[in-house]
Amino acid sequence: MAKLSVVGKSVIRTDALEKVTGTAKYTSDVDLHLPNLLYGKILRSPYAHARILGIDISQAAKLPGVEIILTGKDVPSQRFGQYVADQHILTRETVRFIGDAVAAVAANTPETADEALQLIKVEYQKLPAVFDAEEALSPDCPAVLHPDLASYERSLLAYLGRDLPGPNVHTHHRFRRGNVDHGFQKADLTVENRFSTPRVAHCQLEPYNSFAYLESDGSLTIWSSVHELFGATQGMICKLFALPPSKVRLRTHYIGGNFGARPQAEKFAAFLAIKTGKPVRVTYSREECFIDGLNRFSTSIYIKDGVNSDGTLLARQIKVICNGGAYASLTPLLARNASFALSLYRIPNLKWDAYGVYTNEPCSGPFRGFAIPEVLWAIEQQMDIIAHKLEIDPVDFRKRNIVREGEENVRGEITHSIGAQECLDKAAEWIEWGKPSPASSGHLKAGKGVASGIKYSMTDAASSAIVKVHCDGTVEVRHGADEVGQGANTILAQIAAEEFSVPTHKVKLVWGDTARTSYDFGSVSSRTTYSTGNAVLLACQDVKRQMFKIAATKLGASPQDLETRDGKIYLKQSPETAIMVADLCLPGAGCLAEGAELLGRATFVKPGSGEDPDTGQGKILTSFYSYGAQAAEVTVDTETGQVRVLRFGSSFDMGQPINTKLCEGQMEGGAGMGIGTALHEELIIDKGQVLNPNFTDYRLPSTGDIPSGDNMGCMIAAVPQRDGPFGAKGLGEATLVATAPAIANAVYNAVGVRIKDLPITPEKVLNALREGRNEL
Amino acid sequence: MAKLSVVGKSVIRTDALEKVTGTAKYTSDVDLHLPNLLYGKILRSPYAHARILGIDISQAAKLPGVEIILTGKDVPSQRFGQYVADQHILTRETVRFIGDAVAAVAANTPETADEALQLIKVEYQKLPAVFDAEEALSPDCPAVLHPDLASYERSLLAYLGRDLPGPNVHTHHRFRRGNVDHGFQKADLTVENRFSTPRVAHCQLEPYNSFAYLESDGSLTIWSSVHELFGATQGMICKLFALPPSKVRLRTHYIGGNFGARPQAEKFAAFLAIKTGKPVRVTYSREECFIDGLNRFSTSIYIKDGVNSDGTLLARQIKVICNGGAYASLTPLLARNASFALSLYRIPNLKWDAYGVYTNEPCSGPFRGFAIPEVLWAIEQQMDIIAHKLEIDPVDFRKRNIVREGEENVRGEITHSIGAQECLDKAAEWIEWGKPSPASSGHLKAGKGVASGIKYSMTDAASSAIVKVHCDGTVEVRHGADEVGQGANTILAQIAAEEFSVPTHKVKLVWGDTARTSYDFGSVSSRTTYSTGNAVLLACQDVKRQMFKIAATKLGASPQDLETRDGKIYLKQSPETAIMVADLCLPGAGCLAEGAELLGRATFVKPGSGEDPDTGQGKILTSFYSYGAQAAEVTVDTETGQVRVLRFGSSFDMGQPINTKLCEGQMEGGAGMGIGTALHEELIIDKGQVLNPNFTDYRLPSTGDIPSGDNMGCMIAAVPQRDGPFGAKGLGEATLVATAPAIANAVYNAVGVRIKDLPITPEKVLNALREGRNEL
């Protein structure tokens, strides 16, 4: 590969100045001064499961300033739901969780809307409710959330098994390799455990909010505060309201964090705007963000491993039960994709079953890592447990079984760009693995732990890009990916700048507007650098071809003899023979003699092979895998049970890094989020009622909880990805997948107790210490 | 040509609903609620010609709320001016007309800005001034406006002669054919006259206004209220402030009338926004619109014709002196293009000289008709005068000499699409030519008059368009032309709808935004239907090719066997074999497998041949000519001199009409404007001071002055234009070129007096009647 001049450099973020000076705009800053602005608010169910017997809006409707009150009878009969169409905008006859949307009000002030909510009288008849996923799994569960949905409706994905064990099960995904029973029979040791993970909230700082209005031509514009403008958001709105995509424009400016949060306020804002013909803002309260925020589901994971005494993994059987709450949402896909956590190790015999289950808890959704952290919470402790039982060093044990370049992995994919072992080595070296921690003192016991990580990126999701070259040489990149703070714009600008040999400030970005950019599946699955990056690169190459073709005629040269740099097109062999981009245009006009503009276009999509519905095997199920390892040094206070992370090291393989500083930023951020979910974060739900829906009671890690400076290590183990832009692949989600098990392994190393139920609270540690639980 | 289903129909305007309901947005409606909004106001010179000795802003600067005060010393040294760079944003040392911009203030309210203007003290030293163009033409004129400009700087166009007779002359355009002296020698009759036309204002209802602000990335956005977003406006701003076009975004919504008005407020708003870093609005008062509105210049026209007794024109000599005021602006081009009025008749010997002259009157600019109405004011009365002298019917006399299809016209162009004679016949028939008017009664004397008209459209001006086909089949047309109320959007939508066989409501228009559309020279020179229309048509064909290529693969057919209708692509031979546009995309995604979007692109430009600098001859000097004739029936009150137009008929050849109703609208509007300039409109200027800069004293025609119903005739004489979209060419400007001479000829017919100096006021008529002037 030619020497890189922009890619691989830590150029300053394109949004740095705006964000530092506070001028960066978010959806809540969009103030178009539209007349008759209304504020929308949602009435939510106080019951976990109940029938609505009647709704009396008469008092509320009389309140001055109230514009409209909508209930289930007003909503389109079309239900939404990406895999199971099981949800109405406002529930029609039944509420299924505490927080389910019952009515929507639009009024001239937020206060009036709130007051109107108080005046709406709803008569409910309570129904039996179920909160525990394992109870809900049973065919005999007395509470059935969606009795009207036949099992085939609950299983729309071809790769989801159809043998649903009970009426509340909407998903059963399985995959098989070899024969797990034979594997266990041959094993010298089998180890069986149950792990669990709780509900966790994204806690993106920008609350869900949306601003919708009808344009004068009757089309609908919706400002959104989340990612996935195209498919997930525009697509949902079009489907719900039977509108063609050309009539629905989705927009964002910047997005104040995302971490998997999906469109929520958009459908309400759009619905109220359509019904009133007036502009409507809907902003979730922080409490609503926690309760109706589609946060990370809770899981129970049963795992059984068989291993030879030499440390060779022979068999693994794993069952994952996902409590997705009252509606299926993305749980079917999460349950399936969680299985890619198993691609980390070479295991000849495997049995995987994942269930997505309805309960009367709030509806959940994707969360950074897309269920991989939950499964690795089990696997990476299990690996430690086995290593200890076999008296093999846990790092060595991992390396013995870890997948290697060119091997067929457990799903039948031929592996490529595997930095797994290098990452593990770097993390172990950084934490001074094998050297006891010097931090123990008195009742503070120190320990170290390591865990490996893996994150896949999906296939069959398209990114497209348009690149316009202005006559002053500015390269305008129009992309449909989302700038959620991760630095997508900077990465894409660097890719274009590299390809055009210009500095990044000569790249202009257009994003966040379905009317101005072309389709992108969205900034999910850590796919932006790879997929959108590839689309941008291809679009750059497309427009360069057009430029060189015109320039070749003018220079009397052949297109393949040309190159461009700093807005000049020149002969490779004699760079002084050159013309400027402006010279390609009609004299005096800002356009080409033919074809209007210098406009490059491209779509990138990595097609998958599909998986065998019985075995889950397939040649290409992922676009790529990112590998990594994380290492923690902790102290455990044996008097209080408090765990503190003293040092934390992350080592990841993101292929060729596009921007080293941004990669380090992802690693630090991922570690921080991982530490939060490892030690503090948990949505406490009592019979469907979220008890801590605020930042006081929901404990995010603070800067004091996260190591910094030399105590936070970020290492890059770059193994270029063949089909990535300049060899790059994704990173973002991977950076927290191994954090919690690394810490759990360190806790075990420190005090010999093993916590299998996230988070690792002082109470659990203290209880385990008191019980003298010292489990290998 | 295939049967047309949308083109040629009077479909309802695309903006009808918005305009009728008042929701249509104009630049003054753009309210982005930006913080720190400032209002800009301009201090203008009270002297016609003076040196600035000093400016004291100290008092004004102290006024609370004043943000900035800029004067000549703050402006870029770069002067602007499309042909002669002779103007600074704020004048530096010399004021050259009453109204010349001396200082600009930005303040937090318009009132504060006004108050600040009062507090600025300017010391002037008066200089000799000149107001009469014929005086200014003299080499000995004591007032010299631009002593620093050498004559070559005043004559930048190759086709402008360089023999400038005096220091105030910036333009001398000439053309020659045959030998005019020989022509006059051979003639049986020579007729010589002097005609003149006054200053006239556009009177567009939306005042000049602009709104400029810096985006967070440092680029400049300017909302404009005039046409020509690209070249004239964006180009000027880029040049003035040394900014690349990618950093300057020009926008409009709708435009409240134009008629040739050019950017004025934009440069002030941009300058103040750049200097303050804050958003700035500049709105001209109605008085400023009249004084600094770049309105129609005044002319003196000396014409001498030689003719045989059989009515064959042998020679014409014509000298036009254009009083363009204090700066050259577009007067050089106007002086040149006025000559195309002569292309109406076959004349073997011709001599044309046009002078553009600086005077201390306000700066002028283009006006609907682009100086053709002024020249036809002379020619079409002269034709009547000759006809009467020869005792030939004026209509017959015209037909004897009028240019015919395939002939070489006086400029050396081979003529095509010539509806001139047909138009004349239709107009004459409509007015019942030859039948005396029955309207005479007492002191009201009735008469009829006819005049022919011609209007060219320019060459070498590009239009480009982008057409996106949405997956729901919506055809999105992105064009850079201007919707100034003329119906450009409707016409362009019809062209795209015809090409895609969809109804116009399936066409979505994107316009008025240099960041979203591609280059267009602008809606000038009646070029939009023809040039932008062609670009749209070609872009439609481009995207259809792409669609058919993809569809052909999917249908197992050949692209040339395919056609599209209503969003379906089908086999011409078996229309039931069809797929929808959505089927061309990647399943589930809104983009193509390759190339992102279905995006067609095209540029249309009609290249000119250029003209011989000595003779003005050239093979292709115009894109097309529109021909027409207008006929008036008037009464003249011999007691008051008042002229009333009883009936008015227009007949024009616009090639294939795209929208008959819109063509009729243009004809009615043009007739109204023509009646205004014929009878009422005149900017009264006394020693450089405009005496009637308001709608009370500047007399626009009212509905009572303009015939309506059956008394307003609009006739179409369509002669398809070979290279026009569906055979169309332009119309807009042509519709008033013959109005004033038709009325003047009718006045002569009624009372036997001939008014050669516009407008035909009661005073002039009465004076002529009193003097017994009865001139053939």
Side-chain angles (χ1 to χ4, degrees):
Chain A
M1 187 166 291
K3 206 176 153 293
L4 297 170
S5 55
V6 184
V7 158
K9 303 287 182 296
S10 292
V11 304
I12 291 171
R13 292 176 65 106
T14 55
D15 54 5
L17 186 69
E18 285 177 82
K19 292 204 169 164
V20 166
T21 56
T23 58
K25 293 263 183 295
Y26 297 81
T27 286
S28 56
D29 296 319
V30 175
D31 187 352
L32 297 173
H33 223 206
L34 296 176
N36 307 316
L37 178 63
L38 299 174
Y39 298 86
K41 295 272 181 180
I42 309 305
L43 182 71
R44 297 181 178 281
S45 164
Y47 296 109
H49 202 189
R51 182 158 298 124
I52 296 173
L53 299 178
I55 304 181
D56 177 5
I57 64 165
S58 57
Q59 284 302 103
K62 282 182 204 148
L63 192 66
V66 170
E67 177 81 16
I68 204 166
I69 302 171
L70 299 169
T71 66
K73 68 177 173 36
D74 303 304
V75 303
S77 59
Q78 172 74 40
R79 286 187 285 190
F80 66 94
Q82 209 154 334
Y83 293 99
V84 187
D86 58 7
Q87 193 167 9
H88 283 107
I89 305 175
L90 299 167
T91 190
R92 284 191 142 182
E93 288 159 6
T94 311
V95 292
R96 295 182 182 86
F97 72 94
I98 298 174
D100 214 352
V102 173
V105 171
N108 60 354
T109 69
E111 294 73 20
T112 305
D114 272 329
E115 205 182 328
L117 294 187
Q118 310 291 330
L119 296 174
I120 298 171
K121 293 184 196 103
V122 187
E123 197 184 344
Y124 294 100
Q125 180 188 29
K126 279 176 78 174
L127 295 170
V130 60
F131 308 105
D132 182 88
E134 301 192 48
E135 270 178 45
L137 202 60
S138 154
D140 309 319
C141 177
V144 176
L145 273 84
H146 295 277
D148 53 329
L149 287 179
S151 71
Y152 74 89
E153 290 177 294
R154 290 179 265 135
S155 181
L156 294 175
L157 292 176
Y159 51 77
L160 298 177
R162 287 168 184 245
D163 46 342
L164 300 177
N168 288 321
V169 184
H170 52 71
T171 301
H172 174 201
H173 177 254
R174 64 187 184 188
F175 90 84
R176 307 284 184 262
R177 187 174 178 88
N179 184 316
V180 81
D181 294 327
H182 293 174
F184 289 131
Q185 280 160 17
K186 284 199 281 179
D188 295 326
L189 170 72
T190 62
V191 178
E192 218 167 329
N193 275 299
R194 179 186 185 275
F195 296 87
S196 64
T197 66
R199 282 276 179 144
V200 176
H202 308 97
C203 298
Q204 79 273 28
L205 280 187
E206 181 181 11
Y208 290 100
N209 74 102
S210 178
F211 179 28
Y213 45 90
L214 294 169
E215 302 282 354
S216 51
D217 67 355
S219 67
L220 185 63
T221 294
I222 307 173
W223 287 84
S224 169
S225 62
V226 293
H227 62 181
E228 292 179 287
L229 284 193
F230 279 92
T233 316
Q234 189 192 40
M236 173 184 69
I237 297 291
C238 287
K239 220 168 176 177
L240 268 178
F241 303 112
L243 291 168
S246 61
K247 289 276 193 196
V248 178
R249 179 181 188 181
L250 261 294
R251 303 186 70 177
T252 65
H253 277 298
Y254 290 115
I255 293 172
N258 191 269
F259 314 113
R262 307 198 84 221
Q264 283 293 74
E266 289 74 5
K267 59 184 181 293
F268 295 123
F271 188 38
L272 289 166
I274 289 169
K275 286 288 187 180
T276 61
K278 297 182 179 171
V280 179
R281 263 194 191 286
V282 173
T283 303
Y284 271 32
S285 67
R286 187 55 67 183
E287 184 172 337
E288 283 176 300
C289 291
F290 275 97
I291 291 171
D292 192 30
L294 300 179
N295 35 51
R296 181 164 111 175
F297 54 35
S298 58
T299 64
S300 315
I301 303 168
Y302 295 86
I303 183 166
K304 179 182 174 186
D305 288 337
V307 64
N308 259 357
S309 54
D310 66 354
T312 308
L313 278 168
L314 291 181
R316 172 166 287 165
Q317 178 173 311
I318 185 162
K319 183 167 81 170
V320 180
I321 300 158
C322 309
N323 181 346
Y327 301 97
S329 177
L330 249 59
T331 297
L333 190 68
L334 283 152
R336 178 229 180 199
N337 289 7
S339 64
F340 291 118
L342 278 65
S343 301
L344 184 56
Y345 297 109
R346 194 185 317 110
I347 308 175
N349 302 294
L350 261 168
K351 185 177 178 205
W352 159 274
D353 292 275
Y355 297 93
V357 183
Y358 289 125
T359 68
N360 293 110
E361 289 199 345
C363 182
S364 62
F367 182 98
R368 193 179 192 179
F370 214 76
I372 299 290
E374 292 92 312
V375 179
L376 286 181
W377 168 246
I379 289 176
E380 286 302 296
Q381 289 205 71
Q382 185 83 346
M383 292 301 281
D384 249 41
I385 293 167
I386 296 168
H388 288 302
K389 283 187 194 281
L390 294 175
E391 294 178 354
I392 302 179
D393 177 85
V395 172
D396 288 342
F397 175 55
R398 285 180 170 85
K399 281 162 74 173
R400 206 165 295 181
N401 293 287
I402 216 155
V403 72
R404 293 204 191 89
E405 182 81 25
E407 273 184 359
E408 189 180 297
N409 71 9
V410 297
R411 301 301 282 277
E413 301 174 288
I414 302 299
T415 51
H416 163 61
S417 177
I418 316 288
Q421 186 162 328
E422 194 183 337
C423 289
L424 198 49
D425 286 337
K426 278 183 190 268
E429 189 191 337
W430 186 84
I431 204 80
E432 297 170 291
W433 186 248
K435 232 169 96 179
S437 169
S440 290
S441 120
H443 53 85
L444 288 180
K445 304 294 179 196
K448 294 179 183 178
V450 168
S452 280
I454 186 170
K455 176 72 182 59
Y456 68 93
S457 187
M458 67 195 297
T459 59
D460 297 299
S463 286
S464 67
I466 293 183
V467 172
K468 170 179 172 171
V469 178
H470 287 257
C471 56
D472 56 43
T474 297
V475 179
E476 178 177 310
V477 173
R478 302 177 191 162
H479 70 84
D482 312 291
E483 176 56 72
V484 298
Q486 85 279 45
N489 277 346
T490 307
I491 296 297
L492 300 173
Q494 284 182 269
I495 289 171
E498 184 70 50
E499 188 60 20
F500 274 92
S501 296
V502 295
T504 46
H505 70 80
K506 288 292 281 183
V507 178
K508 186 183 169 83
L509 293 145
V510 174
W511 83 101
D513 188 347
T514 57
R516 292 185 64 192
T517 68
S518 59
Y519 179 88
D520 196 289
F521 188 86
S523 290
V524 300
S525 203
S526 300
R527 61 184 294 284
T528 302
T529 297
Y530 172 82
S531 291
T532 314
N534 263 326
V536 168
L537 183 61
L538 290 169
C540 287
Q541 290 164 354
D542 183 40
V543 72
K544 277 172 71 179
R545 266 191 300 276
Q546 298 170 35
M547 285 165 60
F548 290 176
K549 194 175 156 198
I550 304 170
T553 315
K554 293 187 187 276
L555 291 173
S558 170
Q560 61 269 27
D561 297 335
L562 298 179
E563 200 34 272
T564 181
R565 170 177 296 278
D566 292 328
K568 230 177 230 167
I569 301 149
Y570 59 90
L571 270 172
K572 285 181 211 161
Q573 298 305 321
S574 61
E576 66 286 357
T577 309
I579 55 173
M580 302 301 290
V581 174
D583 302 327
L584 306 181
C585 293
L586 278 172
C591 68
L592 303 177
E594 285 182 7
E597 298 184 321
L598 284 168
L599 215 56
R601 295 183 280 157
T603 301
F604 178 83
V605 57
K606 171 99 156 224
S609 62
E611 67 187 46
D612 181 280
D614 290 323
T615 65
Q617 298 284 307
K619 288 287 174 210
I620 304 167
L621 302 178
T622 56
S623 285
F624 60 82
Y625 287 97
S626 306
Y627 298 89
Q630 291 181 307
E633 183 174 346
V634 305
T635 56
V636 182
D637 187 326
T638 52
E639 290 193 349
T640 63
Q642 171 121 37
V643 177
R644 292 197 63 80
V645 180
L646 302 179
R647 297 172 69 225
F648 196 86
S650 297
S651 171
F652 281 93
D653 165 24
M654 72 300 288
Q656 163 68 48
I658 302 287
N659 186 312
T660 313
K661 183 64 89 186
L662 284 182
C663 291
E664 290 168 359
Q666 283 284 6
M667 285 192 246
E668 288 200 8
M673 200 165 192
I675 290 168
T677 54
L679 300 182
H680 314 295
E681 295 188 50
E682 178 179 20
L683 222 57
I684 301 163
I685 308 182
D686 179 32
K687 294 201 169 62
Q689 181 78 54
V690 178
L691 299 181
N692 58 343
N694 56 66
F695 284 143
T696 310
D697 300 319
Y698 183 93
R699 170 93 153 80
L700 278 176
S702 71
T703 48
D705 298 316
I706 302 170
S708 60
D710 288 346
N711 293 323
M712 177 65 89
C714 298
M715 289 150 282
I716 286 171
V719 180
Q721 171 78 12
R722 267 197 299 266
D723 59 1
F726 300 103
K729 57 185 182 184
L731 170 65
E733 288 177 285
T735 57
L736 87 168
V737 295
T739 314
I743 292 170
N745 291 340
V747 168
Y748 177 81
N749 182 246
V751 292
V753 302
R754 190 158 285 287
I755 309 302
K756 298 176 188 169
D757 179 33
L758 270 179
I760 308 166
T761 58
E763 191 183 11
K764 288 180 197 168
V765 173
L766 215 52
N767 280 341
L769 286 171
R770 283 181 188 151
E771 287 165 20
R773 189 165 55 183
N774 188 343
E775 188 179 337
L776 262 185
Chain B
M1 185 166 292
K3 207 178 153 290
L4 298 170
S5 55
V6 184
V7 159
K9 303 289 182 293
S10 293
V11 304
I12 291 171
R13 291 177 66 107
T14 55
D15 54 5
L17 187 68
E18 285 176 82
K19 291 203 169 165
V20 166
T21 57
T23 58
K25 292 262 181 297
Y26 298 81
T27 286
S28 56
D29 296 318
V30 174
D31 188 352
L32 297 172
H33 224 209
L34 296 175
N36 307 314
L37 179 62
L38 300 174
Y39 297 86
K41 294 272 181 178
I42 308 305
L43 181 70
R44 297 182 179 280
S45 164
Y47 296 109
H49 202 192
R51 182 159 296 125
I52 297 174
L53 299 178
I55 304 181
D56 178 5
I57 63 166
S58 57
Q59 285 301 103
K62 282 183 205 149
L63 193 66
V66 170
E67 178 80 15
I68 204 167
I69 303 171
L70 298 169
T71 66
K73 68 177 171 37
D74 303 305
V75 302
S77 59
Q78 172 73 42
R79 288 186 284 190
F80 66 93
Q82 210 155 330
Y83 294 98
V84 187
D86 58 6
Q87 194 166 9
H88 284 108
I89 306 175
L90 299 168
T91 189
R92 284 191 143 182
E93 289 158 4
T94 310
V95 292
R96 295 183 182 85
F97 74 92
I98 298 174
D100 214 352
V102 173
V105 171
N108 60 354
T109 69
E111 294 73 21
T112 306
D114 271 330
E115 205 182 330
L117 294 186
Q118 308 291 330
L119 295 174
I120 299 172
K121 293 184 196 102
V122 188
E123 198 184 343
Y124 294 100
Q125 180 187 30
K126 280 176 75 175
L127 294 170
V130 60
F131 307 105
D132 182 88
E134 300 193 50
E135 269 178 47
L137 202 61
S138 154
D140 309 319
C141 176
V144 176
L145 273 84
H146 295 276
D148 54 329
L149 287 179
S151 70
Y152 74 88
E153 289 177 296
R154 289 180 265 134
S155 181
L156 293 175
L157 292 176
Y159 51 77
L160 298 176
R162 286 165 185 250
D163 47 341
L164 299 177
N168 287 321
V169 184
H170 53 71
T171 301
H172 174 201
H173 177 256
R174 64 186 184 189
F175 91 83
R176 306 285 184 262
R177 188 174 178 87
N179 183 315
V180 80
D181 295 326
H182 293 174
F184 288 131
Q185 280 160 18
K186 284 200 284 178
D188 295 326
L189 170 72
T190 62
V191 177
E192 218 167 329
N193 274 299
R194 178 184 186 276
F195 295 87
S196 63
T197 65
R199 284 276 180 142
V200 175
H202 308 96
C203 298
Q204 79 273 28
L205 279 188
E206 182 181 11
Y208 290 102
N209 74 101
S210 178
F211 179 26
Y213 46 90
L214 295 170
E215 301 283 354
S216 52
D217 68 354
S219 66
L220 185 64
T221 294
I222 308 173
W223 287 84
S224 169
S225 61
V226 293
H227 63 181
E228 292 180 287
L229 284 194
F230 279 91
T233 314
Q234 189 192 40
M236 172 183 69
I237 297 291
C238 288
K239 220 169 177 178
L240 268 177
F241 303 112
L243 291 168
S246 62
K247 290 275 191 197
V248 178
R249 179 180 186 180
L250 261 294
R251 304 186 69 176
T252 64
H253 277 299
Y254 291 114
I255 293 172
N258 191 269
F259 313 114
R262 308 197 84 222
Q264 283 293 74
E266 289 73 6
K267 58 184 182 295
F268 296 123
F271 188 38
L272 290 166
I274 289 170
K275 287 287 188 182
T276 61
K278 296 181 179 172
V280 179
R281 260 193 194 287
V282 173
T283 304
Y284 271 34
S285 67
R286 185 56 66 185
E287 183 172 339
E288 283 176 301
C289 291
F290 274 98
I291 291 172
D292 192 31
L294 299 180
N295 35 50
R296 180 164 114 175
F297 55 34
S298 58
T299 63
S300 314
I301 302 169
Y302 295 85
I303 183 167
K304 179 181 174 187
D305 288 336
V307 62
N308 260 355
S309 55
D310 67 353
T312 308
L313 277 168
L314 291 181
R316 172 166 287 166
Q317 179 174 309
I318 185 162
K319 184 168 80 170
V320 180
I321 300 159
C322 309
N323 182 346
Y327 300 97
S329 176
L330 249 61
T331 297
L333 189 69
L334 283 152
R336 180 228 181 202
N337 289 8
S339 65
F340 291 118
L342 277 67
S343 302
L344 183 56
Y345 298 108
R346 194 184 318 110
I347 309 176
N349 302 292
L350 260 168
K351 186 176 178 209
W352 159 274
D353 291 273
Y355 297 93
V357 183
Y358 289 127
T359 68
N360 294 110
E361 288 199 345
C363 182
S364 62
F367 182 98
R368 193 179 193 181
F370 212 76
I372 298 291
E374 292 93 312
V375 179
L376 286 181
W377 168 245
I379 290 176
E380 287 301 296
Q381 288 206 71
Q382 184 83 345
M383 292 300 281
D384 248 42
I385 293 168
I386 296 168
H388 287 301
K389 283 188 192 282
L390 293 177
E391 294 178 353
I392 302 178
D393 177 85
V395 172
D396 289 341
F397 175 54
R398 285 182 171 83
K399 283 162 71 173
R400 205 165 297 181
N401 292 283
I402 215 155
V403 72
R404 293 205 190 89
E405 181 81 24
E407 273 184 357
E408 188 180 297
N409 71 9
V410 296
R411 300 302 282 277
E413 301 174 288
I414 303 300
T415 51
H416 163 61
S417 178
I418 316 289
Q421 187 162 327
E422 194 184 335
C423 288
L424 198 50
D425 285 338
K426 279 182 190 271
E429 189 190 339
W430 185 86
I431 204 79
E432 297 170 289
W433 186 249
K435 231 170 100 179
S437 170
S440 289
S441 121
H443 52 86
L444 288 181
K445 304 294 179 196
K448 293 179 183 179
V450 168
S452 280
I454 185 170
K455 177 70 180 62
Y456 68 93
S457 187
M458 67 195 297
T459 59
D460 297 299
S463 285
S464 67
I466 294 183
V467 172
K468 171 178 171 170
V469 178
H470 287 257
C471 56
D472 56 44
T474 297
V475 179
E476 178 178 311
V477 173
R478 301 178 190 161
H479 70 84
D482 312 292
E483 176 55 71
V484 298
Q486 84 279 48
N489 277 345
T490 307
I491 297 298
L492 300 173
Q494 284 182 269
I495 289 171
E498 184 70 50
E499 188 59 21
F500 275 91
S501 297
V502 296
T504 47
H505 71 79
K506 289 292 280 182
V507 179
K508 186 183 169 83
L509 293 145
V510 174
W511 83 100
D513 188 347
T514 58
R516 293 185 63 191
T517 68
S518 58
Y519 180 88
D520 196 288
F521 187 87
S523 289
V524 299
S525 203
S526 299
R527 61 186 292 286
T528 302
T529 297
Y530 172 82
S531 291
T532 314
N534 264 324
V536 167
L537 183 61
L538 292 168
C540 287
Q541 290 165 352
D542 183 40
V543 72
K544 278 173 69 179
R545 266 192 300 276
Q546 299 169 36
M547 286 165 58
F548 290 176
K549 195 175 155 197
I550 304 170
T553 315
K554 295 188 185 273
L555 290 173
S558 170
Q560 61 268 28
D561 297 336
L562 299 179
E563 200 35 271
T564 182
R565 170 177 297 277
D566 293 327
K568 231 178 230 166
I569 301 150
Y570 60 91
L571 269 172
K572 285 181 211 163
Q573 298 305 322
S574 62
E576 66 286 357
T577 307
I579 56 175
M580 301 302 290
V581 174
D583 301 327
L584 306 182
C585 293
L586 278 171
C591 67
L592 303 176
E594 284 182 8
E597 297 184 322
L598 284 168
L599 216 55
R601 297 184 278 157
T603 302
F604 178 82
V605 57
K606 170 97 157 226
S609 61
E611 67 188 45
D612 182 280
D614 290 322
T615 64
Q617 298 285 309
K619 287 287 174 210
I620 304 166
L621 302 178
T622 56
S623 285
F624 59 82
Y625 287 96
S626 306
Y627 298 88
Q630 292 181 307
E633 182 173 347
V634 305
T635 55
V636 181
D637 186 326
T638 53
E639 290 192 350
T640 64
Q642 171 120 38
V643 177
R644 293 199 62 82
V645 180
L646 301 180
R647 296 172 70 224
F648 196 86
S650 297
S651 171
F652 282 93
D653 164 23
M654 72 300 287
Q656 163 69 50
I658 302 286
N659 186 311
T660 312
K661 183 63 89 186
L662 284 181
C663 291
E664 290 167 0
Q666 283 285 6
M667 285 191 247
E668 288 200 8
M673 200 165 192
I675 290 168
T677 54
L679 300 181
H680 314 294
E681 294 187 52
E682 177 179 20
L683 223 58
I684 301 163
I685 307 181
D686 179 32
K687 293 198 171 62
Q689 181 78 55
V690 178
L691 299 180
N692 58 342
N694 55 67
F695 283 144
T696 309
D697 300 319
Y698 184 95
R699 168 92 154 80
L700 277 176
S702 71
T703 47
D705 298 315
I706 302 169
S708 60
D710 288 346
N711 292 323
M712 177 65 87
C714 298
M715 291 151 278
I716 286 171
V719 180
Q721 170 78 12
R722 266 196 301 265
D723 59 1
F726 300 104
K729 57 185 182 183
L731 172 65
E733 288 177 285
T735 57
L736 87 169
V737 295
T739 313
I743 291 170
N745 291 340
V747 169
Y748 177 81
N749 182 248
V751 292
V753 302
R754 190 159 284 286
I755 308 300
K756 298 177 186 169
D757 178 34
L758 271 179
I760 308 167
T761 58
E763 191 183 11
K764 290 179 195 169
V765 173
L766 215 52
N767 280 340
L769 287 170
R770 281 180 187 152
E771 288 166 19
R773 191 166 54 183
N774 187 344
E775 189 178 338
L776 263 187

